Amino acid sequence: MRFLLIFSGLLSVVPFVIGFVVSLFIPQATWIDRLGMAALPAGCTFLAAILLFSRDSARTSSIMQGVRDDLLESQDTTDEQFLSARPCEDASLLLELREAIAQFFDVPACKISRNVDLISDLHVDQLEPSFQFAVVRPAIISRQKEPQSFGFSTTSLHTLDELVKAIREVLDRGDEMIQSW
């Protein structure tokens, strides 16, 4: 909450300064009037930032809790069952992603099945920035030979196998770039 108040306060400084500068062009305004003209947009910005953050935070928490509850109600799947569902080129990456997803939603890894849909079951599209930061980024960074920037999108991915394939493509592009240097 402290971060929210600090960030909202810093954000409201911009309209305050703009409002104050604009008020200087009104010759008959007193200093109290000028401060009031500057404080009005600053206060509106402060309030809007708090309300929008609260709404987004509540929405994200609701989605996370719903996914977590659904995952906890699902059947347990052992690592052997998880891997034997379909052939996989990179089993270690698949298991690493399974563990990362389980940690992201705060559930045991055995609750993540191989046929989970990233969009309809896990709502990754609505949790996009935090999912990429907590799940995709560590998987890519742990396998890169040299730290590099990369672009990644989960918009068209539905299965864990597609996610593994997309991460593999990012890693292969990075390897090609290193070899070309």
Side-chain angles (χ1 to χ4, degrees), residues 121-136:
D121 296 335
L122 300 182
H123 301 285
V124 170
D125 55 336
Q126 297 169 353
L127 303 170
E128 181 74 32
S130 56
F131 182 82
Q132 280 199 24
F133 187 74
V135 176
V136 175

Side-chain angles (χ1 to χ4, degrees), residues 13-29:
V13 167
V14 174
F16 181 84
V17 170
I18 292 171
F20 188 75
V21 169
V22 168
S23 73
L24 293 176
F25 292 106
I26 303 173
Q28 59 271 39

Side-chain angles (χ1 to χ4, degrees), residues 15-75:
F16 181 84
V17 170
I18 292 171
F20 188 75
V21 169
V22 168
S23 73
L24 293 176
F25 292 106
I26 303 173
Q28 59 271 39
T30 65
W31 286 105
I32 300 291
D33 295 337
R34 292 177 203 274
L35 289 176
M37 286 186 258
L40 183 64
C44 290
T45 303
F46 183 80
L47 184 62
I50 288 176
L51 292 175
L52 289 172
F53 176 79
S54 298
R55 181 201 65 178
D56 289 347
S57 178
R59 184 180 296 160
T60 301
S61 296
S62 172
I63 292 169
M64 291 285 287
Q65 188 61 42
V67 170
R68 184 175 189 278
D69 291 344
D70 291 344
L71 288 173
L72 288 173
E73 291 175 5
S74 66
Q75 293 182 349

